[in-house]
Amino acid sequence: MKNTPLSEKLILYFVLLGIGAILIISTVSFYSTKRALMSRTFDQLTSLRIVKKSRIEQFYADRVREISFLATTAEVAEAALQINRKPLSFISVKKRIASPRLQREGREAIPATGEEIGLKFGSLGEHFSAFFIFGRDGACMKGWLHGNPDAGSMAAGPLLPDSIYRLLRNKLISQPVVVCDVMLNNKTNQPFQLISSIIDGGRSGNTEFPAILALLVSTDGINSIMLNNDPLSGLGMSGETYLVGDDYLMRSTSRFLPGSMLKTAVKTQPVSGALAGREGTLLTNDYRTIPVLSSYGTISVPGLNWAILAEIDMQEAMIPIYETRTRILLLSTLIMLVFFAFVMIIAKRITKPLMRLKEAAIHLGEGQFGPELPVTTHDELGALTESFNIMARQIREKTTELQQERFGRMRSVIDGEEMERQRLSRELHDGIGQLLIAIKLRMESLLYQEGKDIGNSIQELKKYFDQIIDEVRRISNNLMPSVLEAFGITIALRNLFSETEEHSGLRIHFEAKGDYDDLDKKIKTYVYRLTQEAISNIVKHAEASEVRVNLTSQDESLLLVIRDNGKGFTPETAGKDGGNGIHNMRERASLLQGNIEIRSAPSKGTTITLNVPIIVTYVKNQDFPRG
């Protein structure tokens, strides 16, 4: 990644940023839409469940009202009184005649047959299929409604009339009307349900238990309410509403399992919650172990503990969100393609000026000063290009100055060497050369002298030789004073000042503070030469009579201050007359990584301050064991 070009990095970063943003937006949109869709589906299922619950409760309320009305009719009451006049095991007559036994006992025939009662009240109970009228001790008259002869046989089922009577009597002790739960006919394997009521006027005495009217409820009425296969009903292709009893068996027919009433177990979490008296919505698995959205609650019908559920398959409910997801993916792909093309264009526009700057920087580093780069924008890149042009311009100017300065330094070095040669030549010619000529002439004169004059001449020759020795020592000290290496910088400077006072008449006051024994040789030499250069300039140009020199060794630096009372000068114009003294001092100070400051003004003397970091040379003496 470190060696990847900037344009590719920009494209990669922008693409990753775009993909991340699109993924976040798509994910948030998808799950927000999913939650909204699930909430809407739950609301729709709950509304449908409430409607179905209301219809079921109204269905049983209507049946209770109908049986209550039928139980008060004169025909039913008369039939009940006739049955209760004498215990009979079972009465099932189809004609209005009295039996021989009834005739002998003087009893009248039952005023109406079961067929006549069924035909008379069939129009009032279209949801009933058969009826039972029970007297005391289980005496019963039964019949069917709407001309359905099979209903009576189906109604009997595994329960004989006396069993039905005992069941209903126990329930009717505490309430006038009883809605029984759905039961299964073991003969026909078909479900059936009874609603019973006490018959008003069906008493033969005040202490007797009244007669009972029981009607067989058609289960088709329940299924017509709960079962709905119409895809446009709001339940789609997989939704259904159904009832479940407290034995976890269905009380209505499943949309997917025909004949499931009392045969299909539904032990799911929504059913358990509804039977416990709760209602709500839940994402769970149904009795087919298929994920569904479920809305559950209870049925408020006295005598029935039923749960009502409205459910739809999760897969079908989520079809709109899956379609939305597909659209989001397609739209995201299209946006990414457009975004990628846009990023490539932007990356090239950003990196193109940077590539120009890179090439120009490479040429600039190679010393090639080309034309200035064009500034095409007014943003940060334009400012960077302008800054680069300014930098290149300054580097060009500084390079020219450095070249000129280098030429000046080379000229100064060459001029200095030439001047030093001329000085040495003069000193050798004027000093040692003249003394040697004098010695030569004096020795030639010895050829013509005798006796005592020869001895005097030899003494003079000895003086000449002493002068030559002193002159050679002086020249040697000027070139490289041995006293600097042998005795240190303070002694060397004192000797320099003594010789200067002797030859120039200048009075020099010198004061040194600190320890200079371990001072680096380079510092000692350069400080000595700088002081020598400064004293030489004072002698030649300052017209001073007195000089004060202070040398101080501080913790991490060495401070040299030279002050004179000469005529002074203007530092800005120094060196323009061809002199190299100040330039040489600055060069030596820079080589020592120090700082030199020259303050002067006409008629106010000159102060030179040198501050250089101290480099200490440590010499450790080690004692070696002797053998």
Side-chain angles (χ1 to χ4, degrees), residues 20 123 237 247 289 344 348 371 434 496 591 594 602-603:
S123 60
M237 302 298 298
D247 56 356
T289 67
M344 288 188 64
K348 288 183 178 180
Q434 295 299 325
L496 173 64
L591 291 175
S603 303

Side-chain angles (χ1 to χ4, degrees), residues 85-289:
R85 285 177 182 174
K86 187 171 184 178
L88 298 175
S89 61
F90 187 72
I91 300 175
S92 179
V93 293
K94 297 184 179 180
K95 296 182 180 179
R96 188 177 302 185
I97 60 174
S99 64
R101 183 165 59 88
L102 293 177
Q103 292 176 356
R104 287 194 303 270
E105 295 177 354
R107 295 173 59 183
E108 298 179 359
I110 296 176
T113 65
E115 180 179 4
E116 291 175 340
I117 294 176
L119 292 174
K120 183 175 182 61
F121 300 110
S123 60
L124 297 177
E126 59 179 334
H127 292 288
F128 299 122
S129 58
F131 72 92
F132 299 88
I133 299 176
F134 293 96
R136 61 179 179 272
D137 298 329
C140 174
M141 174 190 290
K142 71 174 182 177
W144 53 90
L145 305 178
H146 314 295
N148 184 3
D150 295 332
S153 61
M154 181 186 71
L159 298 176
L160 297 176
D162 55 347
S163 299
I164 297 176
Y165 176 74
R166 287 193 298 271
L167 173 66
L168 298 179
R169 178 170 178 167
N170 291 333
K171 291 180 177 292
L172 288 168
I173 291 176
S174 59
Q175 49 189 339
V177 179
V178 170
V179 179
C180 298
D181 203 343
V182 179
M183 294 175 284
L184 191 65
N185 187 332
N186 290 336
K187 274 186 180 180
T188 61
N189 201 29
Q190 295 295 323
F192 68 95
Q193 186 179 22
L194 293 172
I195 296 180
S196 61
S197 174
I198 295 175
I199 300 175
D200 290 343
R203 299 176 182 267
S204 59
N206 294 332
T207 60
E208 296 179 358
F209 189 83
I212 298 172
L213 172 63
L215 297 178
L216 186 67
V217 181
S218 174
T219 56
D220 293 338
I222 299 175
N223 289 330
S224 65
I225 296 174
M226 301 303 298
L227 185 61
N228 194 338
N229 293 325
D230 185 6
L232 301 179
S233 63
L235 290 172
M237 302 298 298
S238 62
E240 63 174 336
T241 55
Y242 56 93
L243 300 169
V244 181
D246 52 6
D247 56 356
Y248 291 95
L249 294 177
M250 278 192 172
R251 294 301 191 267
S252 62
T253 301
S254 168
R255 179 176 185 177
F256 307 103
L257 302 175
S260 56
M261 184 181 292
L262 289 180
K263 297 176 183 179
T264 301
V266 186
K267 294 184 178 181
T268 60
Q269 187 174 354
V271 172
S272 299
L275 294 178
R278 298 189 300 270
E279 64 178 18
T281 58
L282 190 65
L283 174 61
T284 184
N285 293 336
D286 67 354
Y287 58 92
R288 301 168 296 158
T289 67

Side-chain angles (χ1 to χ4, degrees), residues 474-508:
R474 185 182 65 81
I475 295 173
S476 176
N477 285 335
N478 288 333
L479 294 175
M480 182 60 195
S482 58
V483 68
L484 182 64
E485 183 68 24
F487 300 102
I489 188 171
T490 56
I491 301 299
L493 289 177
R494 291 186 188 279
N495 291 341
L496 173 64
F497 298 151
S498 298
E499 292 179 0
T500 303
E501 288 179 339
E502 181 180 352
H503 292 92
S504 64
L506 185 65
R507 187 178 179 182
I508 302 175

Side-chain angles (χ1 to χ4, degrees), residues 10-82:
L10 287 174
I11 293 174
L12 179 61
Y13 292 153
F14 277 119
V15 169
L16 290 178
L17 180 62
I19 291 175
I22 291 175
L23 286 177
I24 292 174
I25 295 174
S26 300
T27 303
V28 172
S29 300
F30 175 78
Y31 283 102
S32 299
T33 306
K34 182 178 179 180
R35 286 193 298 270
L37 180 61
M38 290 181 64
S39 177
R40 188 192 69 179
T41 304
F42 278 132
D43 292 341
Q44 183 176 353
L45 290 173
T46 301
S47 299
L48 189 60
R49 172 177 61 82
I50 292 174
V51 170
K52 296 289 186 179
K53 172 186 176 181
S54 177
R55 291 184 62 186
I56 288 293
E57 292 173 352
Q58 186 62 44
F59 173 82
Y60 282 103
D62 292 342
R63 303 295 82 75
V64 169
R65 186 170 59 254
E66 289 174 354
I67 193 173
S68 299
F69 172 75
L70 291 175
T72 61
T73 59
E75 289 82 0
V76 173
E78 182 64 25
L81 287 175
Q82 292 297 328

Side-chain angles (χ1 to χ4, degrees), residues 22-23 26 327-337:
I22 291 175
L23 286 177
S26 300
R327 289 194 297 269
I328 289 175
L329 290 176
L330 292 176
L331 183 60
S332 299
T333 303
L334 179 61
I335 292 175
M336 279 304 306
L337 293 176

